Amino acid sequence: MDLTLVFSLLFLSCFHGASSDSRYFTSLFTLGDSYIDVGNFVIMAARAVPAVPVWHDKLPYGMTFFGHPTGRLSDGRVIVDFIAEQFGLPLLQASLLNSPDVSKGANFAVGGATAIDVDFYERNNLVQFKLLNNSLSVQLGWLKELKPYFCSATKGGCRGCFSKALFFVGEFGVNDYNFLWSAGKTEHEVMSYVPEIVENIVRAVERLIKEGAVYVVVPGNPPNGCSPTILTLRSSLNQTEKYDNIGCLSDINRVAMYHNVMLRSEIGALREKYPRARIILADFYKPIISMLQNPDSFGVASQDALRTCCGGGGVYNWNPSAICGMPGATACKDPSAFVSWDGVHYTEATYRYIAKAWLYGPFADPPILSAIRH
Ligand SMILES: *[C@@H]1O[C@H](CO)[C@@H](O)[C@H](O)[C@H]1NC(C)=O
Ligand SMILES: *[C@@H]1O[C@H](CO)[C@@H](O)[C@H](O)[C@H]1NC(C)=O
């Protein structure tokens, strides 16, 4: 091999991103809830005693791209799948599959995961059912257990390996707030939990940075007041609800916005404390709102903006006795013509749009691709 070639290869492997982003990150590790779960909920639910019923382990879940259910709560890929594709990494497997090869990463996210430990909700009778033990702190524990498997062979040990990985911490918070709203808490009471929820997220990010992580994406909360599920459940309560100009529930969205503002401020403080870390604040709120405000420009009919693709009828096409995956529910022909997939989770088309906006901007601070080229 001639020296010129050796040098250009060296140059190429050090100077990433000229034409492709593959090889920039050696691995991807993701913590979160049902927005990015790729199968952990299905595994945990089957192991639970008594087993927890699952509706998303059958078609039409997975009808797009995969053609079969994968444990993802969408018709197709979720945000972190598009991120993996961008960086030439395989689509992550659910960590609880205990795959022998975790060298490219693992996805620890589980549907229903909370930022506050589940025993808090059970102890205070805020939920009337047994929760899966899947909170943020539990997921951090799983990551710690798996560490020897993806770090040991790496030069520089775990710090070196962490510094070349991309981490996602979140979204977290949506399930916490849902439990509090469902328990009948007032807006003021739900707001009072925001500092603790944000604190738990920020401490998790800090823990990863202390262990050597450099690139951490921290998504905020989506506008859950626009969820067809919550819109339906609230309308049957016959309360005089306040809707915004899109038709979303203002009180629920105010809590989400407050969460996002506080998250931004706490992440700001963390950046000052760890100037070498590249913490990316990913906006999960504005991209959804921009789709709902201008559905036509996303190929969504305006009358479908707040309706689910997959459901069992009703104003929002969400019916509690025929939820997507249950008998009686059907999927629309073209999920990309909908924002919401099943009432809570989004379509692959929505997730692709969000992933692109986090990679290239404008809905991330900084966009992931500018963070790596900084
Ligand atoms: C959840 O799991 C963690 C870690 O294994 C454990 O310490 C905790 O007691 C568990 N909590 C519940 C409510 O089972
Ligand atoms: C909702 O509540 C109002 C006032 O209490 C009552 O007049 C109305 O009939 C109720 N509507 C339904 C659909 O129950």
Side-chain angles (χ1 to χ4, degrees):
M1 195 187 267
D2 83 64
L3 270 181
T4 326
L5 183 57
V6 171
F7 280 126
S8 39
L9 283 176
L10 275 175
F11 181 73
L12 272 177
S13 59
C14 298
F15 183 80
H16 309 277
S19 59
S20 154
D21 302 300
S22 65
R23 291 178 302 141
Y24 195 89
F25 294 114
T26 52
S27 50
L28 175 63
F29 294 97
T30 55
L31 310 173
D33 60 16
S34 57
Y35 291 111
I36 62 166
D37 185 357
V38 296
N40 279 335
F41 184 90
V42 174
I43 296 169
M44 281 193 103
R47 286 182 193 164
V49 183
V52 172
V54 176
W55 304 110
H56 67 273
D57 59 353
K58 39 183 107 55
L59 285 166
Y61 282 91
M63 65 183 268
T64 309
F65 188 75
F66 299 102
H68 57 88
T70 63
R72 286 167 179 77
L73 287 115
S74 182
D75 57 301
R77 287 162 288 184
V78 294
I79 296 175
V80 290
D81 293 322
F82 292 108
I83 304 291
E85 286 179 356
Q86 178 80 33
F87 293 109
L89 294 167
L91 302 193
L92 295 185
Q93 292 203 320
S95 61
L96 297 179
L97 279 176
N98 293 324
S99 159
D101 182 11
V102 287
S103 60
K104 300 278 171 64
N107 186 333
F108 300 93
V110 197
T114 47
I116 297 177
D117 285 348
V118 298
D119 56 323
F120 169 80
Y121 295 100
E122 292 174 346
R123 214 170 351 106
N124 294 290
N125 291 317
L126 292 164
V127 290
Q128 305 311 319
F129 41 87
K130 185 91 188 88
L131 294 171
L132 295 177
N133 191 11
N134 58 7
S135 67
L136 172 53
S137 72
V138 171
Q139 292 181 33
L140 281 171
W142 294 341
L143 187 137
K144 192 176 176 188
E145 279 172 28
L146 215 60
K147 241 176 128 175
Y149 299 92
F150 55 77
C151 284
S152 58
T154 324
K155 226 171 120 195
C158 278
R159 291 196 73 81
C161 145
F162 265 38
S163 72
K164 294 189 208 84
L166 179 63
F167 290 86
F168 270 69
V169 179
E171 173 281 329
F172 282 99
V174 160
N175 292 303
D176 299 79
Y177 300 123
N178 275 346
F179 291 150
L180 294 164
W181 284 116
S182 305
K185 299 282 181 200
T186 64
E187 179 179 348
H188 183 74
E189 288 167 334
V190 179
M191 287 277 191
S192 72
Y193 288 89
V194 171
E196 182 181 352
I197 289 168
V198 167
E199 179 71 10
N200 286 1
I201 297 165
V202 171
R203 291 290 78 83
V205 175
E206 179 168 26
R207 182 166 147 185
L208 294 175
I209 292 171
K210 279 185 169 162
E211 293 182 38
V214 174
Y215 296 94
V216 187
V217 180
V218 189
N221 273 14
N224 217 22
C226 307
S227 146
T229 300
I230 294 176
L231 283 163
T232 307
L233 292 173
R234 282 282 193 102
S235 64
S236 61
L237 287 180
N238 191 18
Q239 293 171 350
T240 44
E241 298 297 347
K242 292 266 187 295
Y243 296 91
D244 65 16
N245 59 359
I246 311 175
C248 305
L249 293 157
S250 302
D251 56 351
I252 293 186
N253 280 355
R254 275 194 298 268
V255 170
M257 282 188 281
Y258 180 51
H259 170 100
N260 292 339
V261 166
M262 188 166 269
L263 186 65
R264 170 174 295 276
S265 139
E266 292 297 311
I267 289 295
L270 208 56
R271 284 175 177 150
E272 284 181 16
K273 195 167 169 189
Y274 301 96
R276 294 183 57 191
R278 303 292 293 163
I279 311 172
I280 292 138
L281 199 60
D283 192 333
F284 203 165
Y285 192 97
K286 286 202 203 93
I288 305 288
I289 294 292
S290 73
M291 293 184 85
L292 297 176
Q293 274 172 337
N294 292 298
D296 297 342
S297 55
F298 292 90
V300 177
S302 53
Q303 70 270 16
D304 289 334
L306 291 175
R307 289 169 54 83
T308 69
C309 161
C310 181
V315 177
Y316 303 101
N317 192 32
W318 189 87
N319 174 350
S321 49
I323 298 173
C324 185
M326 290 183 183
T330 50
C332 63
K333 273 212 181 68
D334 178 12
S336 74
F338 284 77
V339 177
S340 177
W341 163 246
D342 62 5
V344 175
H345 311 100
Y346 301 98
T347 58
E348 179 186 270
T350 302
Y351 286 141
R352 177 192 283 110
Y353 171 63
I354 296 171
K356 289 249 180 299
W358 290 0
L359 285 162
Y360 295 91
F363 297 125
D365 170 30
I368 301 171
L369 293 180
S370 19
I372 65 178
R373 281 165 194 156
H374 183 72

